Amino acid sequence: MENPIITKLSPPWYVYHRKVQSMFGRDPEVHVKELADIGDGKFSYMILVYNDKKADAIKALLPQTVKIGNITIEAVILGPTEDRIDVCQKPITEIFEDAFSGNPIFETAVERELYGMKFVIPSLKKRLFNFGTMICQIIAAITAAWRPILQRKFSILWLYSIVYQLNKAA
């Protein structure tokens, strides 16, 4: 007798939280707490960061409030002193370098200019492109977190095309 395959769907707010965990969870200086149901369609989670520069950078990249339909997800990012930290005002390349410096999938952030617009592209380690879907999901989570940065004239479509080309080549 064969074992039936059980398909289990997760609500989108849990999927979003898992994407945040996959972006920062392997970094020894970052601890992403579990998603908590506050009630009334509100969920919350904390990110504890044990490095001031990294805490500032993560707060600059990751939106503190995300709405998915009628559900609100709030992130509280705390620095080493357990205080709420301020958003840093560094160049975007430095923000990526600081936020992902201990992350095993991150290599570097590269800044390029095309037709007068500046683009910052996070470079991921090539050996992980065997898991194309996972990388695309991580990139999608990062891009969802970049809304404030996109307002600074950064184009995410270009990033998607580069990830697609790298994925295709792997």
Side-chain angles (χ1 to χ4, degrees), residues 112 114 119-122 124 129 132 135-136 139-140 143 146 154-170:
R112 297 286 185 252
L114 181 67
F119 299 91
V120 176
I121 305 159
L124 305 176
F129 278 104
I135 293 300
C136 285
I139 293 296
T143 57
W146 285 351
F154 293 102
S155 172
I156 213 59
L157 295 175
W158 198 47
L159 175 65
Y160 271 117
S161 67
I162 288 173
V163 170
Y164 176 76
Q165 290 170 6
L166 288 173
N167 233 355
K168 200 171 156 182

Coordinates of all heavy atoms in Angstrom, one line a residue, residues 112 114 119-122 124 129 132 135-136 139-140 143 146 154-170:
R112 N 25.4 49.6 -9.7 CA 25.5 49.8 -11.2 C 24.7 51.0 -11.6 O 23.7 51.3 -11.0 CB 25.1 48.6 -12.0 CG 26.0 47.4 -11.8 CD 27.3 47.6 -12.4 NE 28.1 46.4 -12.3 CZ 29.1 46.2 -11.4 NH1 29.5 47.2 -10.7 NH2 29.8 45.1 -11.4
L114 N 22.6 52.7 -15.0 CA 22.1 52.5 -16.3 C 21.2 53.6 -16.7 O 20.2 53.8 -16.0 CB 21.4 51.1 -16.4 CG 20.9 50.7 -17.7 CD1 22.0 50.5 -18.7 CD2 20.0 49.4 -17.6
F119 N 21.3 51.3 -9.6 CA 20.8 50.0 -9.2 C 21.7 49.4 -8.2 O 22.9 49.4 -8.4 CB 20.6 49.1 -10.4 CG 19.7 49.6 -11.5 CD1 20.2 50.3 -12.5 CD2 18.3 49.3 -11.4 CE1 19.4 50.8 -13.5 CE2 17.5 49.8 -12.4 CZ 18.0 50.5 -13.5
V120 N 21.2 48.8 -7.2 CA 22.0 48.0 -6.3 C 21.5 46.6 -6.4 O 20.3 46.3 -6.2 CB 21.9 48.5 -4.8 CG1 22.6 47.6 -3.9 CG2 22.4 49.9 -4.7
I121 N 22.5 45.7 -6.6 CA 22.1 44.3 -6.8 C 22.8 43.4 -5.8 O 24.1 43.4 -5.7 CB 22.6 43.8 -8.2 CG1 22.0 44.7 -9.3 CG2 22.2 42.4 -8.5 CD1 22.7 44.7 -10.6
P122 N 22.1 42.8 -4.9 CA 22.7 41.9 -4.0 C 23.2 40.6 -4.7 O 22.5 40.0 -5.5 CB 21.6 41.5 -3.0 CG 20.4 41.8 -3.7 CD 20.6 42.8 -4.8
L124 N 24.4 36.9 -4.7 CA 24.3 35.7 -3.9 C 25.3 34.6 -4.3 O 25.8 34.6 -5.5 CB 22.9 35.1 -4.0 CG 21.8 36.0 -3.7 CD1 20.4 35.4 -3.9 CD2 21.9 36.5 -2.2
F129 N 22.4 28.4 -6.3 CA 21.4 28.6 -7.4 C 20.9 27.2 -7.9 O 20.0 27.2 -8.8 CB 22.0 29.4 -8.6 CG 21.9 30.8 -8.3 CD1 23.0 31.6 -8.0 CD2 20.7 31.5 -8.4 CE1 23.0 32.9 -7.7 CE2 20.6 32.8 -8.1 CZ 21.7 33.5 -7.8
G132 N 16.9 26.9 -7.3 CA 16.3 28.1 -7.9 C 15.1 28.7 -7.3 O 14.9 29.8 -7.2
I135 N 15.7 30.4 -4.0 CA 16.4 31.7 -4.2 C 15.4 32.7 -4.7 O 15.4 33.8 -4.2 CB 17.6 31.5 -5.1 CG1 18.7 30.6 -4.5 CG2 18.2 32.9 -5.5 CD1 19.2 31.2 -3.2
C136 N 14.6 32.3 -5.7 CA 13.6 33.3 -6.2 C 12.6 33.7 -5.1 O 12.2 34.9 -5.1 CB 12.8 32.7 -7.4 SG 13.9 32.6 -8.9
I139 N 14.5 36.2 -2.9 CA 14.6 37.4 -3.6 C 13.2 38.2 -3.6 O 13.1 39.4 -3.4 CB 15.1 37.3 -5.1 CG1 16.5 36.8 -5.1 CG2 14.9 38.5 -5.9 CD1 17.5 37.7 -4.5
A140 N 12.1 37.4 -3.8 CA 10.8 38.0 -3.7 C 10.5 38.6 -2.4 O 10.0 39.7 -2.3 CB 9.7 37.0 -4.1
T143 N 12.6 41.8 -2.1 CA 12.0 42.8 -2.9 C 10.7 43.4 -2.3 O 10.4 44.6 -2.3 CB 11.7 42.4 -4.4 OG1 10.8 41.3 -4.3 CG2 13.0 42.1 -5.1
W146 N 11.7 45.9 0.1 CA 12.4 47.1 -0.5 C 11.5 48.2 -0.8 O 11.9 49.2 -1.5 CB 13.1 46.7 -1.7 CG 14.4 45.9 -1.4 CD1 15.0 45.7 -0.2 CD2 15.2 45.3 -2.4 NE1 16.1 44.9 -0.4 CE2 16.2 44.7 -1.7 CE3 15.1 45.2 -3.8 CZ2 17.2 43.9 -2.4 CZ3 16.1 44.4 -4.4 CH2 17.1 43.8 -3.7
F154 N 15.2 52.8 -7.4 CA 15.8 51.6 -7.7 C 14.8 50.7 -8.4 O 13.7 50.6 -8.0 CB 16.3 50.9 -6.4 CG 17.4 51.7 -5.8 CD1 17.2 52.5 -4.7 CD2 18.7 51.6 -6.2 CE1 18.2 53.2 -4.1 CE2 19.7 52.3 -5.7 CZ 19.5 53.1 -4.6
S155 N 15.2 50.0 -9.4 CA 14.3 49.2 -10.2 C 14.4 47.7 -9.8 O 15.5 47.1 -9.9 CB 14.5 49.3 -11.7 OG 13.7 48.4 -12.3
I156 N 13.4 47.1 -9.3 CA 13.4 45.7 -8.9 C 13.2 44.8 -10.1 O 13.7 43.6 -10.1 CB 12.3 45.5 -7.8 CG1 12.8 44.4 -6.9 CG2 11.0 45.1 -8.4 CD1 14.1 44.7 -6.2
L157 N 12.7 45.3 -11.2 CA 12.5 44.4 -12.4 C 13.9 44.0 -12.9 O 14.0 42.9 -13.4 CB 11.7 45.2 -13.5 CG 10.3 45.5 -13.1 CD1 9.7 46.4 -14.2 CD2 9.5 44.2 -12.9
W158 N 14.8 44.9 -12.8 CA 16.1 44.5 -13.3 C 16.7 43.4 -12.5 O 17.3 42.5 -13.0 CB 17.0 45.8 -13.3 CG 18.2 45.6 -14.1 CD1 18.3 45.2 -15.4 CD2 19.6 46.0 -13.8 NE1 19.6 45.2 -15.8 CE2 20.4 45.7 -14.8 CE3 20.1 46.5 -12.6 CZ2 21.8 45.9 -14.8 CZ3 21.5 46.7 -12.6 CH2 22.3 46.4 -13.7
L159 N 16.5 43.5 -11.2 CA 17.0 42.4 -10.2 C 16.3 41.1 -10.6 O 17.0 40.1 -10.7 CB 16.7 42.8 -8.8 CG 17.0 41.7 -7.8 CD1 18.5 41.5 -7.7 CD2 16.5 42.2 -6.4
Y160 N 15.0 41.1 -10.8 CA 14.4 39.8 -11.2 C 14.9 39.2 -12.5 O 15.1 38.0 -12.6 CB 12.9 40.1 -11.4 CG 12.1 39.9 -10.2 CD1 11.4 41.0 -9.6 CD2 12.0 38.7 -9.5 CE1 10.6 40.8 -8.5 CE2 11.3 38.6 -8.4 CZ 10.6 39.6 -7.8 OH 9.8 39.5 -6.7
S161 N 15.2 40.1 -13.5 CA 15.8 39.6 -14.7 C 17.2 39.0 -14.5 O 17.5 38.0 -15.1 CB 15.8 40.7 -15.8 OG 16.7 41.7 -15.5
I162 N 18.0 39.6 -13.7 CA 19.3 39.1 -13.4 C 19.2 37.7 -12.7 O 19.9 36.8 -13.0 CB 20.1 40.1 -12.6 CG1 20.5 41.2 -13.5 CG2 21.3 39.4 -12.0 CD1 21.2 42.3 -12.8
V163 N 18.3 37.6 -11.7 CA 18.1 36.4 -10.9 C 17.6 35.3 -11.9 O 18.1 34.2 -11.9 CB 17.1 36.6 -9.8 CG1 16.8 35.2 -9.2 CG2 17.8 37.4 -8.7
Y164 N 16.7 35.7 -12.8 CA 16.2 34.7 -13.8 C 17.3 34.2 -14.7 O 17.5 33.0 -14.9 CB 15.1 35.3 -14.6 CG 14.6 34.4 -15.7 CD1 13.7 33.4 -15.4 CD2 15.0 34.6 -17.0 CE1 13.3 32.5 -16.4 CE2 14.5 33.8 -18.0 CZ 13.7 32.8 -17.7 OH 13.3 31.9 -18.7
Q165 N 18.2 35.1 -15.2 CA 19.3 34.7 -16.0 C 20.3 33.8 -15.3 O 20.8 32.9 -15.8 CB 20.0 36.0 -16.6 CG 19.1 36.7 -17.6 CD 19.7 38.0 -18.0 OE1 20.8 38.4 -17.5 NE2 18.9 38.8 -18.7
L166 N 20.6 34.2 -14.0 CA 21.5 33.4 -13.3 C 21.0 32.0 -13.0 O 21.6 31.0 -13.0 CB 21.9 34.1 -12.0 CG 22.8 35.3 -12.1 CD1 22.9 36.0 -10.7 CD2 24.2 34.9 -12.6
N167 N 19.7 32.0 -12.7 CA 19.0 30.7 -12.5 C 19.0 29.8 -13.7 O 19.2 28.6 -13.6 CB 17.5 31.0 -12.0 CG 17.1 30.3 -10.8 OD1 17.9 29.6 -10.3 ND2 16.0 30.6 -10.3
K168 N 18.7 30.5 -14.8 CA 18.7 29.7 -16.1 C 20.1 29.2 -16.4 O 20.2 28.1 -17.0 CB 18.2 30.7 -17.2 CG 17.7 30.1 -18.4 CD 17.1 31.2 -19.3 CE 17.1 30.8 -20.7 NZ 16.6 31.8 -21.6
A169 N 21.1 29.9 -16.1 CA 22.5 29.5 -16.4 C 23.0 28.3 -15.5 O 23.8 27.6 -15.9 CB 23.4 30.6 -16.3
A170 N 22.4 28.3 -14.3 CA 22.8 27.3 -13.3 C 22.4 25.9 -13.6 O 21.5 25.6 -14.4 CB 22.4 27.6 -11.9

